[in-house]
């Protein structure tokens, strides 16, 4: 019987074969209904509490096996909270005053959490969030909804979801995640980027019927290179995919071995090929794939994985570990790029019509200066003896850049006054990811030591196309002539001012773009680690002269489709 094949946007290379795990985050709203008798409501509460206890025990066992006793301790603490006499007593009181079990639970946990948060103590604030978490679990059970949180994945599976937020993706356990497939999202939505960084096969933008088509547990094969999802394929087809999977893996091994050497063009010019990384494990992986540095250290995941911002000490240790892994190679640390599709829970986010045009990145850093200073202190301290640079995201204005640099100077002064050791000479640069920055590079050069092109946002903002919206994914064209002109203009203007210019947007790792970018004279290409071996191979095949010819010819076209078509021919020539 022919299997069912669905087509989506190929977002992260790799083949995954296994059962589907459907991730459906539950919407928890307290129903408006009259309360039953107090006895009935209380016994519903007790039964839900009992089930929560069983769930937490299961989670605790699974996490202990996966990550150790320490990691599992949080679920033990949650189990204890279920028995907290203060919580139980308050629920009882509220039920006896006529509330339903759900209302009483929400009110009692809110009150208790408010009390703990009001104590102005880090430990108690953390407990306040735990109380809320436990309350949410019991409420979900009272509402009769299943536990479909990602923590409930207990066997290696392909995650199938409507969409994944970056924090969902960050919380995926790599040892249990064979790959993921989402109905929404585009090539440069942050979950897709993270998948590429982690080397998890991914397909996005599958369309609205995805969850209907893939019941939980269905056996599936997915190919993140082609965007194909096969539902219940037979043994022969599965075997074929298994074979392709191992062929691709051995090809990668060959390319990886060659990638140990520095990247040079066919006429012998050195070009830097670096990696986009979010943690020490990926940094190690990046070196294995031939990374000569980190062109983008994404620090935002540190801010998203927890219910409170990371402390200076925590950041210091993480950055230092990454610098040590990179052993003297250059590392560009991007300061917090949250907001947009990456809002953490602890900041007061307004309801925004257009979050990507709203309170995001450098705008948050300039408003929440304590948060920003804490990060800068951690970076400057960890950078001692290492080759680090600091980079601000989403700058669109010189005044913004000057203000951010002033804060760096203040932090340095404070560290010096407190006799804390820190790296004094850390270059400070910006991402060029707004059209405003791209056309103002000559002016921004006054306060920026270097530039790095962020083509994901630059494409989104230039073409007015939401990078995560599957409906307009076909309009998201980083090779659009308008985007290419801004890229060229940025490189030319930076060069004229004697400034180094790299690229850390996804375009830097796309083979169809590399010859053009090389022809423009880009100094550094930073990409997901797995794209490095092929990028180095391609650079080695091109002379600067040929790259310049290709770039000039590409600039004569009026549409992205024409440029893509032209580049297809060039890549065949270079294969
Ligand atoms: C970009 O916008 O190109 C970029 C690298 O940053 P991010 O994808 O995190 O927005
Ligand atoms: Mg960006």
């Amino acid at each position: 019987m022919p299997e069912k094949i669905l087509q989506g946007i190929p977002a992260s290379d790799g083949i995954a074969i296994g059962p589907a795990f459907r991730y459906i985050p539950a919407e928890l709203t307290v129903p408006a209904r009259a309360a039953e008798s107090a006895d009935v409501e209380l016994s519903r509460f007790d039964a839900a509490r009992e089930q929560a206890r069983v769930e937490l025990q299961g989670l605790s066992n699974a996490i202990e096996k996966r990550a150790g006793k320490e990691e599992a301790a949080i679920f033990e603490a949650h189990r204890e909270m279920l028995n907290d006499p203060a919580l139980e007593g308050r629920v009882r009181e509220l039920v006896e005053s006529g509330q339903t079990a759900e209302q009483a639970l929400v009110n009692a946990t809110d009150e208790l959490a408010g009390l703990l948060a009001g104590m102005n103590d880090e430990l108690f604030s953390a407990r306040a969030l735990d109380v809320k978490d436990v309350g949410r679990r019991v409420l979900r059970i009272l509402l009769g909804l299943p536990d479909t949180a990602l923590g409930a994945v207990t066997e290696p599976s392909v995650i199938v979801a409507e969409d994944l937020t970056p924090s969902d993706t960050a919380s995926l356990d790599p040892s249990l995640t064979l790959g993921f497939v989402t109905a929404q999202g585009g090539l440069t939505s942050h979950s897709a980027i993270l998948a590429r960084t982690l080397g998890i096969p991914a397909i996005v933008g599958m369309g609205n019927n995805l969850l209907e088509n893939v019941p939980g547990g269905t056996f599936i094969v997915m190919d993140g290179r082609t965007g194909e999802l096969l539902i219940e394929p037979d043994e022969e087809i599965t075997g074929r995919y298994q074979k392709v999977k191992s062929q691709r893996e051995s090809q990668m091994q060959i390319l990886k071995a060659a990638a140990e050497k520095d990247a040079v063009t066919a006429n012998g010019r050195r070009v830097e090929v670096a990696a986009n990384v979010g943690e020490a494990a990926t940094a190690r992986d990046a070196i294995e794939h031939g990374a000569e540095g980190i062109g983008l250290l994404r620090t935002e995941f540190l801010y998203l994985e927890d219910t409170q911002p990371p402390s200076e000490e925590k950041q210091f240790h993480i950055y230092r570990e990454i610098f040590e892994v990179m052993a003297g190679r250059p590392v560009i640390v991007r300061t917090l790029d949250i907001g947009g599709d990456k809002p953490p829970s602890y900041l007061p986010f307004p309801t925004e019509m257009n979050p990507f045009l709203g309170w995001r990145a450098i705008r948050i850093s300039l408003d929440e200066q304590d948060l920003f200073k804490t990060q800068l202190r951690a970076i400057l301290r960890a950078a001692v003896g290492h080759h680090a640079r600091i980079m601000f995201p989403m700058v669109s204005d010189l005044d913004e850049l000057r203000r951010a640099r002033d804060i760096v100077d203040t932090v340095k002064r404070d560290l010096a006054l407190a006799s804390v050791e820190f790296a004094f000479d850390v270059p400070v640069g910006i991402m060029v990811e707004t059209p405003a920055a791209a056309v103002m590079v000559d002016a921004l050069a006054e306060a920026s030591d270097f530039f790095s092109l962020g083509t994901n946002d630059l494409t989104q903002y230039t073409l007015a196309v939401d990078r995560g919206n599957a409906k307009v994914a076909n309009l998201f064209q980083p090779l659009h002539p308008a985007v290419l002109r801004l890229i060229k203009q940025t490189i030319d203007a930076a060069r004229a001012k004697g400034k180094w210019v790299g690229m850390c947007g996804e375009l830097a790792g796309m083979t169809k773009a590399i010859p053009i970018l090389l022809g423009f004279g880009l100094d550094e290409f930073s990409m997901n680690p797995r794209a490095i071996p092929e990028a180095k191979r391609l650079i080695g095949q091109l002379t600067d002269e040929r790259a310049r010819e290709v770039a000039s010819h590409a600039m004569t076209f009026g549409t992205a489709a024409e440029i893509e078509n032209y580049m297809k021919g060039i890549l065949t020539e270079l294969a």
Side-chain angles (χ1 to χ4, degrees):
M1 195 185 73
E3 75 285 359
K4 191 165 177 184
I5 303 182
L6 304 178
Q7 182 67 44
I9 301 168
S12 176
D13 200 352
I15 290 175
I17 301 170
F21 177 91
R22 280 165 35 118
Y23 171 55
I24 306 173
E27 269 212 28
L28 305 184
T29 34
V30 175
R33 64 170 177 87
E36 308 274 339
S37 72
D39 279 351
V40 171
E41 295 294 345
L42 282 173
S43 65
R44 289 184 62 239
F45 172 66
D46 283 338
R49 230 176 10 154
E50 187 48 39
Q51 194 184 322
R53 236 176 248 131
V54 174
E55 278 184 14
L56 285 164
Q57 183 67 59
L59 264 180
S60 170
N61 293 347
I63 299 290
E64 187 173 334
K65 243 199 275 157
R66 218 152 84 191
K69 235 185 165 50
E70 230 172 273
E71 303 295 326
I74 180 71
F75 299 109
E76 283 306 311
H78 282 195
R79 265 163 61 83
E80 277 165 27
M81 262 173 222
L82 286 169
N83 293 333
D84 183 346
L87 181 68
E88 184 178 350
R90 187 64 183 141
V91 169
R92 188 169 292 278
E93 258 174 42
L94 292 171
V95 163
E96 279 165 0
S97 76
Q99 295 191 2
T100 64
E102 289 90 343
Q103 287 163 338
L105 172 73
V106 169
N107 290 331
T109 46
D110 277 357
E111 280 173 21
L112 187 56
L115 208 70
L116 289 165
M119 287 182 185
N120 239 340
D121 174 296
E122 211 175 295
L123 211 70
F124 283 120
S125 311
R127 275 187 65 90
L129 292 161
D130 287 331
V131 167
K132 281 196 170 168
D133 202 1
V134 169
R136 216 184 117 81
R137 177 175 297 278
V138 180
L139 178 62
R140 197 204 76 236
I141 296 168
L142 276 170
L143 298 174
L145 297 167
D147 183 9
T148 47
L150 284 166
V153 183
T154 50
E155 62 167 336
S157 310
V158 179
I159 312 297
V160 178
E162 186 59 27
D163 205 357
L164 290 175
T165 64
S167 35
D168 286 336
T169 316
S171 70
L172 291 172
D173 179 343
S175 65
L176 295 175
T177 309
L178 301 173
F180 71 73
V181 185
T182 61
Q184 306 303 325
L187 197 55
T188 57
S189 51
H190 282 101
S191 49
I193 291 174
L194 190 57
R196 286 193 286 278
T197 308
L198 297 173
I200 299 174
I203 307 175
V204 298
M206 294 279 330
N208 291 339
N209 300 332
L210 175 67
L211 286 162
E212 276 163 40
N213 278 312
V214 189
T218 310
F219 179 70
I220 53 180
V221 169
M222 58 162 291
D223 185 349
R225 185 178 290 186
T226 60
E228 282 169 339
L229 172 67
L230 284 70
I231 298 170
E232 297 195 313
D234 62 24
E235 259 177 52
E236 192 203 323
I237 290 173
T238 307
R240 217 157 57 212
Y241 273 86
Q242 232 133 16
K243 208 162 143 203
V244 176
K245 184 169 154 57
S246 47
Q247 269 167 356
R248 282 194 203 161
E249 280 163 4
S250 46
Q251 250 170 17
M252 183 53 136
Q253 291 310 322
I254 297 169
L255 278 176
K256 246 169 89 174
E260 279 173 17
K261 296 204 194 98
D262 285 346
V264 275
T265 58
N267 55 307
R269 184 172 68 91
R270 249 311 259 114
V271 179
E272 283 174 67
V273 177
N276 295 349
V277 156
E279 53 176 5
T282 328
R284 284 189 198 95
D285 191 44
I287 290 184
E288 260 189 45
H289 285 81
E292 296 158 21
I294 294 179
L296 169 61
L297 174 59
R298 294 179 177 281
T299 62
E300 57 267 27
F301 299 116
L302 275 172
Y303 290 83
L304 297 172
E305 67 193 12
D306 212 338
T307 44
Q308 56 197 323
S311 67
E312 182 180 324
E313 281 319 293
K314 180 176 176 185
Q315 293 187 62
F316 168 74
H317 289 294
I318 291 174
Y319 302 149
R320 203 176 51 179
E321 189 188 354
I322 293 172
F323 293 151
E324 281 168 0
V325 168
M326 296 310 289
R329 295 173 181 88
V331 178
I332 301 181
V333 187
R334 178 172 71 182
T335 57
L336 61 154
D337 185 7
I338 48 182
D341 64 343
K342 300 179 281 194
S345 53
Y346 47 81
L347 280 180
F349 274 87
T351 308
E352 296 182 303
M353 290 273 276
N354 297 297
F356 271 115
L357 303 181
W359 203 46
R360 195 190 160 192
I362 192 73
R363 298 172 184 177
I364 296 180
S365 295
L366 292 173
D367 286 350
E368 299 283 332
Q369 293 198 9
D370 285 344
L371 202 69
F372 190 35
K373 284 181 177 168
T374 301
Q375 180 172 40
L376 292 170
R377 285 172 65 93
I379 301 171
L380 290 168
R381 285 177 50 212
V384 174
H386 298 285
H387 189 165
R389 286 180 245 176
I390 292 175
M391 176 164 75
F392 304 135
M394 214 201 165
V395 170
S396 56
D397 176 73
L398 178 58
D399 184 49
E400 221 167 32
L401 171 57
R402 286 183 181 143
R403 281 162 59 213
R405 279 204 85 130
D406 283 348
I407 296 172
V408 175
D409 290 340
T410 308
V411 167
K412 284 186 184 170
R413 223 175 13 252
D414 291 348
L415 286 167
L417 281 174
S419 305
V420 176
E421 200 188 9
F422 69 97
F424 191 80
D425 288 323
V426 176
V428 176
I430 64 164
M431 297 198 59
V432 177
E433 54 181 347
T434 62
V439 299
M440 292 293 288
V441 164
D442 57 339
L444 291 163
E446 167 202 302
S448 191
D449 300 325
F450 66 91
F451 297 96
S452 183
L453 281 146
T455 51
N456 310 335
D457 279 314
L458 188 60
T459 305
Q460 153 167 276
Y461 295 136
T462 304
L463 303 179
V465 175
D466 180 342
R467 59 194 272 183
N469 183 341
K471 189 84 183 153
V472 290
N474 61 329
L475 298 177
F476 187 90
Q477 300 167 332
L479 280 183
H480 191 288
V483 182
L484 280 187
R485 284 182 197 195
L486 286 177
I487 292 172
K488 182 167 187 317
Q489 191 173 330
T490 298
I491 297 172
D492 290 345
R495 283 265 145 130
K497 293 282 179 184
K499 303 279 164 132
W500 180 97
V501 51
M503 178 181 286
C504 59
E506 294 296 303
L507 193 67
M510 292 184 189
T511 49
K512 62 186 178 186
I514 288 173
I516 302 176
L517 301 171
L518 199 63
F520 285 167
L522 191 71
D523 292 305
E524 177 238 36
F525 296 70
S526 190
M527 59 196 72
N528 86 74
R530 274 142 227 271
I532 292 174
E534 177 59 18
K536 282 194 169 181
R537 186 197 68 79
L538 193 55
I539 290 169
Q541 301 244 293
L542 282 154
T543 60
D544 282 310
E545 197 187 344
R546 178 72 183 126
R548 277 194 294 271
E549 274 168 22
V550 172
S552 313
H553 197 76
M555 295 297 281
T556 61
F557 296 108
T559 70
E562 286 162 356
I563 295 174
E564 300 236 358
N565 193 33
Y566 168 62
M567 290 313 296
K568 221 181 247 168
I570 298 293
L571 288 180
T572 316
E573 190 188 291
L574 294 169

